[in-house]
């Protein structure tokens, strides 16, 4: 599965961005999707998760109430709406696919996901 994350950019604190994750040659509807981010010098961390048909979503505590994950399987796209952005959100954001069992104790495990593809840079700065 080749993934493409897009929609990043430079935004001021308090601003918003919407990231998109698309795939070529495969239906994203066959996969559960996670959004992850990696800041310079830090490990990749889970940001959010969505089940195949969008019924289950999960978030890391630092983004709850600010970020919203959604998907449109007809458009083969998963979104991450990010509001009230903070400098601490600065990172390269990646989307990953998984077909393994996921629950609230493991959705953020990096090694559960396939991250084949490029991420998108999000920079929050005044």
């Amino acid at each position: 599965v080749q993934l493409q994350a897009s929609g990043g950019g430079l935004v001021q604190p308090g601003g918003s961005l919407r990231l998109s994750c698309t795939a070529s040659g495969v239906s994203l509807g066959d996969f559960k999707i996670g959004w992850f981010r990696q800041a310079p010098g830090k490990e990749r961390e889970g940001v959010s998760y969505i089940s195949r048909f969008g019924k289950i979503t999960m978030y890391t505590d630092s983004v709850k109430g600010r970020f919203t994950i959604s998907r449109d399987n007809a458009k083969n796209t998963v979104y991450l709406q990010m509001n009230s952005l903070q400098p601490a959100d600065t990172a390269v954001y990646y989307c990953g696919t998984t077909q393994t069992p996921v629950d609230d104790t493991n959705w953020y495990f990096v090694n559960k996901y396939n991250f084949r593809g490029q991420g998108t840079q999000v920079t929050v700065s005044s």
Side-chain angles (χ1 to χ4, degrees):
V1 180
Q2 189 70 22
L3 302 172
Q4 179 66 53
S6 62
L10 173 63
V11 64
Q12 292 186 341
S16 298
L17 287 172
R18 188 176 78 159
L19 305 185
S20 297
C21 174
T22 58
S24 56
V26 67
S27 172
L28 279 184
D30 291 338
F31 299 92
K32 309 163 193 177
I33 304 294
W35 279 102
F36 287 72
R37 65 188 179 187
Q38 189 164 16
K42 294 188 177 181
E43 295 185 354
R44 192 170 297 190
E45 65 168 349
V47 175
S48 185
Y49 161 86
I50 190 165
S51 58
R52 284 183 59 199
F53 301 105
K55 290 186 177 181
I56 298 173
T57 60
M58 288 182 272
Y59 301 89
T60 192
D61 285 348
S62 64
V63 309
K64 285 180 180 177
R66 302 189 297 123
F67 290 11
T68 303
I69 191 170
S70 62
R71 67 190 303 162
D72 186 338
N73 288 342
K75 294 183 177 180
N76 213 32
T77 304
V78 176
Y79 303 99
L80 185 67
Q81 177 67 43
M82 307 188 297
N83 298 329
S84 302
L85 282 161
Q86 304 167 356
D89 297 316
T90 296
V92 179
Y93 284 70
Y94 302 88
C95 52
T97 60
T98 185
Q99 292 181 311
T100 63
V102 171
D103 61 32
D104 60 355
T105 67
N106 64 23
W107 69 267
Y108 47 87
F109 287 4
V110 173
N111 60 8
K112 293 181 67 67
Y113 294 84
N114 170 11
F115 291 101
R116 194 171 302 170
Q118 291 188 339
T120 186
Q121 175 71 48
V122 172
T123 303
V124 185
S125 175
S126 54

